[in-house]
Amino acid sequence: MQNAFEMASLPTATGKGAAVPWNDLRAIASAEQVRSAGPSDRVAGVQPEAVFEPGSEKELAAALHCADAAGLSVVPRGGGTKTSWGNPPMRADLILSMARLNGVIEHAWADLTVSVEAGCTFQRLQNTLSQHGQRIAIDPLWPEHATIGGILSTNDSGTLRIRYGGLRDLIIGMTIALPDGTLASSGGKVVKNVAGYDLPKLATGALGTLGVITRAVFRLHPLPHNLRSFTFETRDLTDANRLMLAVQDSKLAHTGLQARYSEERTPAVDVRFEGTDAGIAAQTETLRKLAAPAAEAANSDSVWQARQELWSSAEAAAIAKFSVLPASVAETCGRIRLLADSLGVQWRAVVQGTGLGWLRLEASSAPAIHQLLHTLRPELEHVGGSLVVLHRPAAMPAIDAWGSGGDAFPLMLSVKQQLDPRGTLNPGRFIEGI
Amino acid sequence: MPQTRNDQRRNRLTQPWTAVAIASNQPNGFGPKPYAVELQIFGSQIFDPIKKETGAHLLPFLFHLCRVNAVIAGNAETDAQERIPTENAPGLTFGRRGTTLSRARSQEGSGLNRTLVDARILQEFRAVVGDSGLITSQEELKTYECDGLTNFRVVPQAVLLPRSTEQIQGIVRVCHRERVPFVARGSGTGLSGGALPVKDGVVISLARMNRILEIDFANALVVVEPGVINQEVTGRVAPQGFFYAPDPSSQSICSIGGNVAENSGGAHCLKYGFTTTHVLGLEVVLPDGSLAHLGNKTLDAPGYDLSGVFVGSEGTLGIATKITLRIVKRPDCIQTLLAAFNSTSEAGAAVSGIIAAGMLPAAIEMMDNLAIQAAEAAVHANYPNCGALLLVELDGPTAEVEVLMCQVDEICRKCGAGEIRVAQTEAERVLVWKGRKAAFAAVGRISPNYIVQDGVIPRTALPRVMTEIARLSAEAGIRVANVFHAGDGNLHPLVLYDRRIEGQEHAAEVLANRILELCIEAGGSITGEHGVGEEKKMMMSKMYAEPDLETMQRVRCAFDPEQLSNPTKVFPRPRLCGEQPGDYQPHPVELAGIAERF
């Protein structure tokens, strides 16, 4: 499959390929569920022709099958908050909108599980769950607009990951629609289940390239009784890394641990606790001892929004997610600083105790940003890390979003060919041209 | 009066029961193309004929159950058919998927090949692992004929004991080239027959690959070979205050590779998750002998989460040769509470109360009276003699644990707990757990034989299901001891019987299966940690619909198109990798009335 990043230099490429079978689509659902696409439906500069809004899993599967048979390219869409992630699509003919598949199917609160349609927004789901004092233990980006399907497909988890795991650890069942019209379920409604292959993991982070997630079942956690956060001002990168590692190595049961870096100020380290008053009080004391001599700063809960804030007013900025070993964070940020200084790029980063970090780059020269990313990625990959570009300024030369798939790529391609043999779903947007 | 097809079928279904399956092969120009075999099938397996158009091959596992009576050989040009009984063609060998007739011996009308692991292939294996790495003597082979599930036994053709990834690749390449199926084996403690050898296949034992390769405390990870024993990982990192969280009860003997294959859990997975939560990355030998690195030491490697699919795939996608595991810091404080209740319902209510209070204990275990008696007889755990025992373990910062433990105590009392003990020191804790961890083996003290099941139900269904199990047990006259992970609804009913008593074994099997069906009906799963393996593969059709199984099989085809890696496990019916889904097209042989589709 042709690597798609060449398409990025054609910002107004239309998606025109095969003809949209309007009548067939209208036969699947009511006429108001099928419409022509407009400029706001563009996917990374590529203009689709039609938008279909299924009202049920069956309609979705039928429409997807219809599109696949007609040779169309399909882009599933939830809240549209991350449409620009991945590489621009080679083609985009039909948007499959999840807007109507947006309900909470069943909140089995006594079993600590929930079954939800993929088009449900995260906030709406959390609100429903909180009625019984429960939640999905993740904090994704743009929760009022982002949908469950989109969050899963982009593997977007936040600071709670350090305690509760990522999406792959919270999802226990899933139904996906394949381009041949199959609706396949795996996993189930119970947390402990090893019957069959763990396909929810396959679909998590797959950017909708293997199938369209129609519903998901999650394990839940209780809402915390109390929350308390702390911020410490550290001297430099090494000091910040040392504190983060010390917290990780301690017996503290923190539910959030991050460092905020920018070239304007010394790094700050944030720590969050949840639980009983007595538990939090005792841990606070331990934390303060660990952190000394770093100064404790005034804290507000908004520090946990720092990752999302990287995206504000970011038209001219590039944003990337990197993954390194926790003990290498200082080194990585040091390298970023060096490169940024030499290229005249301003940078900010939020790095979690897990070794996952988000980097924002700005410069008067977009090629300089490109140069930094282009240089940094192979260095990180060389030591077993990764760099994924999530947001690019329009003026920046094209760069592949994902990086290398390594020797597992042929296998990834085989899986893709098994589930989406015609390359109908999001063609060219995923790793190495998938 | 011509017989109706049903009449014909009925006649054919009298003694001996026969069915005709169709096989085909890749065109190769060697004489007439056989595309059907007449088989005598033992048991009640039913197979769909394979569509000739897809270039499909005879299902290898047919040979586990069938004796081939004849080959119906066809002439590709004229489509004339001739039935050749096997006794008239002694040189006939029967093919496995992927085998082409280019290996046909020079017999007239000779047909499909079966690749027996003959001297030539053994020599190739010997070249890879040396004499010391190859077992071929019958007595030694028999020790590999089963795993922890002893009522299924198959003697493998050979057992290989590699010492390195390169050797494993060498072995698998031979298997791939010669179309020999293989089964990887760790410690052989699995309870679902996952390591049961495949007929005419080989076993690749990972027992000699038992080194811990790397320990990285700063990044909280270790890299191990698959033969490393589960408990050994914790042992090596304990001095620095770490542990490896998945703790199946067999952890003193089971291997990490086996844990990866089954996605093993253990009592503490309620809070800590399963093996898949703790596997960061894998080096895998794929069924064609090539090497792939799935996942990474760092999180969220770009691309598909193939390591997530591999864990729990029960050896059907390849062999893991290096495993990067996450280790976890030991919590500040661990306390275990033991509460005695009059019945499992009361104990179950306490569990619900704990969950509703917003707590997530590290473990919640329940044992019923029969299981308690067994544990006493075996290890003298000094449990109170009661209707049901609840073990609740909390861990975390000391102050937090102390507050929560008071709450648990109160909830248990409200639900009618009699005696309550709290273990606070490590020694006390070990004693409390001793009985629970020994439960399976302990029932051997109160019953000569037993079947252990591994169903999962939503926690809220616990009272209903327990009552039903008790009713079924009384009805069948078969005792059932119950031990389970009450926190996540994972039941381990121990169905006790005496094989020497006529009919008991069968009754026990029927009861065990019915319990699994109960779990499915309650919205649960047929296996929470033991895996599907050989034992429960037919139940997969009850738990999943055909499209679900088919999709999983497609993923399998991406990894193992030749279906060589533990091919007969997990799925009730194999699916050929060239097969296109769609409407069934009858085969000319079927139209001619020779073949039947059941």
Side-chain angles (χ1 to χ4, degrees):
Chain A
M1 297 195 192
Q2 183 191 345
N3 192 304
F5 79 94
E6 297 145 33
M7 291 290 285
S9 54
L10 306 166
T12 54
T14 61
K16 267 197 146 38
V20 174
W22 292 99
N23 289 332
D24 291 339
L25 288 175
R26 286 197 187 98
I28 293 168
S30 65
E32 65 199 18
Q33 289 170 256
V34 189
R35 64 172 174 82
S36 291
S40 61
D41 296 311
R42 279 211 183 107
V43 181
V46 181
Q47 176 64 53
E49 223 184 299
V51 180
F52 184 88
E53 264 181 34
S56 70
E57 271 178 348
K58 283 208 166 65
E59 283 179 9
L60 191 153
L64 184 54
H65 185 35
C66 174
D68 183 64
L72 299 180
S73 298
V74 176
V75 174
R77 183 179 70 199
T81 55
K82 298 177 276 290
T83 312
S84 60
W85 289 25
N87 293 318
M90 271 165 67
R91 278 175 47 201
D93 302 310
L94 176 71
I95 302 278
L96 208 50
S97 163
M98 305 299 292
R100 291 175 196 237
L101 281 167
N102 61 0
V104 176
I105 300 169
E106 186 192 352
H107 177 196
W109 65 269
D111 292 316
L112 283 174
T113 61
V114 68
S115 189
V116 60
E117 290 184 318
C120 184
T121 63
F122 187 77
Q123 196 57 59
R124 178 155 170 213
L125 175 58
Q126 290 290 62
N127 290 344
T128 308
L129 299 175
S130 66
Q131 288 167 26
H132 283 279
Q134 295 175 351
R135 62 170 171 179
I136 297 185
I138 50 165
D139 43 349
L141 296 165
W142 312 299
E144 324 79 39
H145 302 293
T147 60
I148 295 300
I151 291 167
L152 280 168
S153 297
T154 53
N155 190 19
D156 177 40
S157 50
T159 61
L160 286 167
R161 183 167 186 170
I162 204 164
R163 176 65 32 200
Y164 297 106
L167 284 159
R168 72 196 295 278
D169 305 305
L170 296 169
I171 188 165
I172 59 177
M174 180 189 276
T175 303
I176 56 170
L178 301 177
D180 69 357
T182 309
L183 269 172
S185 301
S186 76
K189 285 160 87 177
V190 285
V191 174
K192 238 175 143 177
N193 179 6
V194 295
Y197 293 163
D198 199 342
L199 297 190
K201 289 211 176 43
L202 196 57
T204 301
L207 209 72
T209 54
L210 295 177
V212 182
I213 301 171
T214 57
R215 75 167 71 182
V217 189
F218 291 95
R219 70 161 296 174
L220 303 174
H221 286 84
L223 279 168
H225 290 126
N226 298 293
L227 283 168
R228 188 122 182 247
S229 301
F230 301 87
T231 300
F232 296 93
E233 303 288 347
T234 60
R235 283 193 308 269
D236 53 29
L237 295 175
T238 314
D239 200 29
N241 203 182
R242 178 204 65 83
L243 177 54
M244 286 226 284
L245 288 174
V247 172
Q248 276 292 84
D249 195 51
S250 72
K251 293 183 189 270
L252 294 170
H254 47 289
T255 67
L257 176 62
Q258 72 182 14
R260 286 174 285 131
Y261 301 93
S262 81
E263 74 247 300
E264 292 150 359
R265 39 159 302 164
T266 51
V269 173
D270 308 312
V271 184
R272 177 178 57 214
F273 296 122
E274 291 172 2
T276 62
D277 283 323
I280 291 178
Q283 291 183 87
T284 304
E285 214 181 296
T286 313
L287 175 64
R288 285 189 171 130
K289 286 201 196 105
L290 261 182
E296 194 175 328
N299 175 272
S300 81
D301 277 338
S302 64
V303 297
W304 303 109
Q305 301 304 313
R307 179 175 77 116
Q308 187 169 308
E309 268 158 36
L310 293 175
W311 268 268
S312 62
S313 310
E315 294 77 32
I319 302 173
K321 170 184 170 185
F322 62 85
S323 180
V324 297
L325 288 173
S328 311
V329 170
E331 196 185 315
T332 305
C333 290
R335 182 68 183 137
I336 293 171
R337 184 174 60 190
L338 202 68
L339 284 170
D341 282 346
S342 71
L343 291 165
V345 175
Q346 294 92 52
W347 67 283
R348 258 160 63 195
V350 180
V351 186
Q352 292 168 4
T354 52
L356 288 170
W358 284 261
L359 175 65
R360 172 178 166 137
L361 302 170
E362 270 165 298
S364 42
S365 152
I369 302 177
H370 181 275
Q371 180 67 21
L372 196 156
L373 293 168
H374 189 74
T375 308
L376 185 62
R377 173 183 278 153
E379 289 178 13
L380 295 183
E381 285 179 348
H382 186 68
V383 290
S386 62
L387 182 92
V388 174
V389 180
L390 302 176
H391 179 89
R392 312 163 193 72
M396 194 178 89
I399 186 169
D400 173 44
W402 304 100
S404 169
D407 57 14
F409 177 71
L411 205 46
M412 294 184 197
L413 195 55
S414 292
V415 171
K416 168 72 173 180
Q417 283 163 345
Q418 283 287 336
L419 299 180
D420 181 17
R422 292 199 200 174
T424 296
L425 289 163
N426 276 334
R429 290 185 71 184
F430 203 48
I431 194 162
E432 293 191 30
I434 284 183
Chain B
M1 170 102 162
Q3 282 183 319
T4 62
R5 289 192 91 185
N6 270 341
D7 290 337
Q8 288 176 339
R9 177 180 167 168
R10 233 176 279 121
N11 288 340
R12 224 173 280 139
L13 288 174
T14 53
Q15 308 285 348
W17 198 67
T18 58
V20 177
I22 301 167
S24 84
N25 57 282
Q26 294 158 12
N28 57 22
F30 278 78
K33 259 199 297 190
Y35 55 88
V37 291
E38 189 181 298
L39 305 164
Q40 183 167 353
I41 298 186
F42 306 100
S44 57
Q45 305 281 11
I46 293 173
F47 307 103
D48 293 340
I50 320 306
K51 287 171 266 190
K52 182 182 181 184
E53 296 76 37
T54 64
H57 305 276
L58 188 67
L59 301 163
F61 78 86
L62 281 174
F63 294 108
H64 303 306
L65 302 161
C66 305
R67 183 182 75 210
V68 182
N69 288 341
V71 168
I72 297 175
N75 186 306
E77 274 103 307
T78 65
D79 258 335
Q81 288 118 28
E82 189 192 303
R83 183 175 177 278
I84 306 167
T86 52
E87 59 264 23
N88 294 349
L92 268 169
T93 51
F94 300 95
R96 237 156 253 305
R97 190 183 325 287
T99 307
T100 67
L101 276 188
S102 56
R103 264 186 228 105
R105 309 289 187 259
S106 55
Q107 309 283 334
E108 190 99 313
S110 64
L112 305 160
N113 283 309
R114 162 195 281 157
T115 310
L116 285 172
V117 178
D118 56 13
R120 177 181 62 83
I121 295 178
L122 288 176
Q123 196 47 38
E124 296 197 48
F125 286 141
R126 208 170 267 123
V128 176
V129 292
D131 274 317
S132 63
L134 180 65
I135 295 178
T136 51
S137 80
Q138 224 17 56
E139 318 84 63
E140 285 179 284
L141 286 178
K142 274 185 84 66
T143 63
Y144 290 89
E145 66 182 354
C146 65
D147 58 13
L149 186 72
T150 54
N151 42 335
F152 292 84
R153 292 166 198 255
V154 174
V155 179
Q157 295 283 295
V159 174
L160 297 116
L161 296 111
R163 288 187 187 277
S164 69
T165 301
E166 291 70 35
Q167 285 190 353
I168 293 178
Q169 283 186 274
I171 297 166
V172 173
R173 278 193 203 109
V174 173
C175 289
H176 185 253
R177 189 179 355 110
E178 303 289 342
R179 297 295 185 268
V180 174
F182 59 86
V183 176
R185 178 187 173 106
S187 301
T189 55
L191 294 171
S192 58
L196 176 74
V198 166
K199 187 170 180 293
D200 296 328
V202 300
V203 166
I204 303 177
S205 164
L206 281 313
R208 288 192 182 157
M209 291 189 50
N210 58 3
R211 297 175 300 160
I212 295 180
L213 299 171
E214 192 185 327
I215 304 180
D216 182 351
F217 291 112
N219 291 304
L221 56 87
V222 300
V223 182
V224 305
E225 289 184 328
V228 169
I229 305 302
N230 176 298
Q231 199 166 264
E232 205 186 313
V233 180
T234 294
R236 284 287 287 272
V237 301
Q240 269 77 10
F242 286 89
F243 73 111
Y244 175 62
D247 61 342
S249 300
S250 56
Q251 65 184 150
S252 58
I253 34 172
C254 63
S255 69
I256 292 294
N259 292 162
V260 166
E262 304 294 341
N263 191 14
S264 305
H268 290 86
C269 56
L270 175 63
K271 179 171 176 180
Y272 288 96
F274 323 102
T275 299
T276 192
T277 317
H278 298 272
V279 171
L280 292 169
L282 298 162
E283 176 192 86
V284 167
V285 171
L286 296 173
D288 66 356
S290 63
L291 203 62
H293 290 84
L294 312 181
N296 219 330
K297 282 182 179 178
T298 57
L299 295 176
D300 293 353
Y304 300 133
D305 186 0
L306 296 178
S307 78
V309 175
F310 192 93
V311 178
S313 62
E314 306 196 29
T316 58
L317 303 182
I319 302 179
T321 51
K322 281 195 184 64
I323 302 144
T324 304
L325 299 171
R326 186 203 299 266
I327 49 176
V328 178
K329 202 74 186 172
R330 258 214 190 284
D332 197 17
C333 165
I334 309 175
Q335 286 188 7
T336 314
L337 176 147
L338 195 67
F341 292 87
N342 290 328
S343 68
T344 53
S345 318
E346 281 177 15
V351 174
S352 297
I354 292 169
I355 302 296
M359 277 185 268
L360 192 67
I364 311 180
E365 302 287 297
M366 206 192 293
M367 293 167 74
D368 72 0
N369 187 261
L370 208 44
I372 294 167
Q373 284 176 35
E376 272 316 302
V379 300
H380 309 297
N382 197 23
Y383 287 159
N385 192 9
C386 56
L389 201 66
L390 202 64
L391 245 77
V392 180
E393 184 158 288
L394 294 170
D395 68 19
T398 309
E400 182 90 3
V401 169
E402 282 172 358
V403 171
L404 294 178
M405 195 48 100
C406 288
Q407 292 180 17
V408 171
D409 189 297
E410 201 184 307
I411 292 168
C412 286
R413 283 188 204 284
K414 273 210 187 94
C415 292
E419 189 180 338
I420 295 185
R421 300 179 207 163
V422 178
Q424 292 180 312
T425 67
E426 187 62 18
E428 288 170 13
R429 218 189 125 244
V430 165
L431 194 61
V432 162
W433 277 102
K434 203 164 124 184
R436 166 62 189 91
K437 295 236 170 187
F440 289 11
V443 290
R445 296 281 178 143
I446 60 171
S447 172
N449 309 104
Y450 66 92
I451 300 173
V452 58
Q453 275 297 3
D454 175 46
V456 188
I457 51 173
R459 203 182 305 103
T460 44
L462 214 62
R464 171 164 52 97
V465 171
M466 295 303 300
T467 310
E468 184 61 13
I469 291 177
R471 191 189 69 76
L472 289 167
S473 159
E475 207 174 76
I478 303 272
R479 294 178 304 167
V480 178
N482 285 292
V483 171
F484 44 97
H485 309 290
D488 44 41
N490 188 191
L491 312 174
H492 290 305
L494 296 142
V495 182
L496 310 175
Y497 67 99
D498 187 343
R499 188 185 285 146
R500 298 165 303 192
I501 299 176
E502 174 94 40
Q504 276 222 342
E505 179 154 38
H506 177 73
E509 277 166 9
V510 167
L511 179 54
N513 269 351
R514 183 69 198 117
I515 293 174
L516 273 192
E517 280 170 11
L518 269 179
C519 293
I520 299 175
E521 283 157 24
S525 169
I526 56 175
T527 173
E529 26 181 39
H530 297 173
V532 175
E534 177 69 30
E535 191 199 19
K536 300 188 265 291
K537 65 187 188 188
M538 299 318 284
M539 303 276 321
M540 285 285 276
S541 305
K542 297 207 176 170
M543 185 170 165
Y544 290 113
E546 199 51 43
D548 309 332
L549 295 175
E550 213 224 30
T551 303
M552 291 184 206
Q553 294 255 50
R554 286 201 228 180
V555 172
R556 186 192 194 167
C557 288
F559 281 78
D560 187 15
E562 312 295 338
Q563 310 237 357
L564 296 168
S565 189
N566 214 2
T568 61
K569 311 292 168 57
V570 183
F571 297 101
R573 260 188 308 283
R575 179 185 174 277
L576 300 165
C577 292
E579 206 167 294
Q580 295 302 317
D583 291 330
Y584 176 69
Q585 302 294 330
H587 187 276
V589 174
E590 186 185 330
L591 290 172
I594 297 174
E596 275 280 351
R597 181 170 193 256
F598 289 96

